[in-house]
Amino acid sequence: MNEEVKNNPVLKILSDAFDQQYAGDQEKVIGAINALAAMVEQEGCKLIHFGKVVFITNVTGSRMVEFHALVGGRMDEKRKLAEIDKELDKLLPMLKKLGVVLAYTTMPKEKVAVFGKILDNYKFSKKEVELPDGRPGVAFYISLEK
């Protein structure tokens, strides 16, 4: 790991998360970080960092935001879920304060059993959708107007 990644907590989280996702294939890790960097250069796409979690947020409509979480560090699935749960409790009020009225995330159906419980605790609704790659998925969404 180079010095830039070691000294930048957001890059460290991204590197850790993509390293696990791509089983240590550094070419794919670097490619994923570069692709994310290109996305963040677009208006409406931001990285929000809380603790060991980086949320990728993207404005997809008037007062509507899509988000996804990446967790840094070497931890098991249960610990990652706990980190996301802890930091989601910070993200949602922040989005509301910024004027977002609908926040949502999408995932493949096979991930629903893992992440759905956390989102259910926050009272997210869900709907079956087709993901951009054509696979069946689920969208979890929550109104922040309340």
Side-chain angles (χ1 to χ4, degrees):
M1 178 182 316
N2 70 32
E3 283 302 309
E4 184 177 2
V5 171
K6 283 182 187 177
N7 296 325
N8 183 318
V10 172
L11 276 178
K12 175 83 172 88
I13 291 169
L14 298 177
S15 179
D16 287 350
F18 290 134
D19 189 59
Q20 289 179 345
Q21 181 177 342
Y22 295 116
D25 183 330
Q26 288 306 296
E27 192 171 307
K28 288 183 178 178
V29 170
I30 291 167
I33 290 172
N34 287 337
L36 186 54
M39 283 176 54
V40 172
E41 289 180 5
Q42 304 300 312
E43 187 175 336
C45 186
K46 302 289 180 223
L47 300 180
I48 300 173
H49 174 223
F50 294 116
K52 295 178 182 174
V53 180
V54 170
F55 289 99
I56 304 165
T57 61
N58 193 23
V59 175
T60 57
S62 176
R63 302 176 65 189
M64 185 168 35
V65 170
E66 179 177 8
F67 70 92
H68 296 279
L70 295 171
V71 182
R74 298 284 176 201
M75 55 186 84
D76 63 21
E77 199 73 26
K78 184 177 179 180
R79 178 71 203 250
K80 282 184 184 180
L81 292 173
E83 289 295 325
I84 292 171
D85 189 16
K86 178 173 75 173
E87 306 308 352
L88 190 58
D89 201 35
K90 295 174 186 167
L91 177 71
L92 296 175
M94 186 190 102
L95 292 175
K96 181 177 181 174
K97 188 174 180 180
L98 292 172
V100 173
V101 296
L102 183 75
Y104 70 95
T105 189
T106 58
M107 64 190 70
K109 280 190 170 184
E110 61 270 15
K111 295 285 187 179
V112 170
V114 176
F115 295 102
K117 193 173 196 175
I118 289 172
L119 299 171
D120 288 344
N121 289 340
Y122 286 90
K123 308 290 189 238
F124 276 75
S125 299
K126 59 186 161 191
K127 178 182 177 182
E128 290 192 14
V129 296
E130 183 176 309
L131 299 175
D133 63 6
R135 294 182 297 161
V138 176
F140 285 86
Y141 57 95
I142 188 167
S143 171
L144 301 176
E145 286 186 299
K146 301 173 189 171

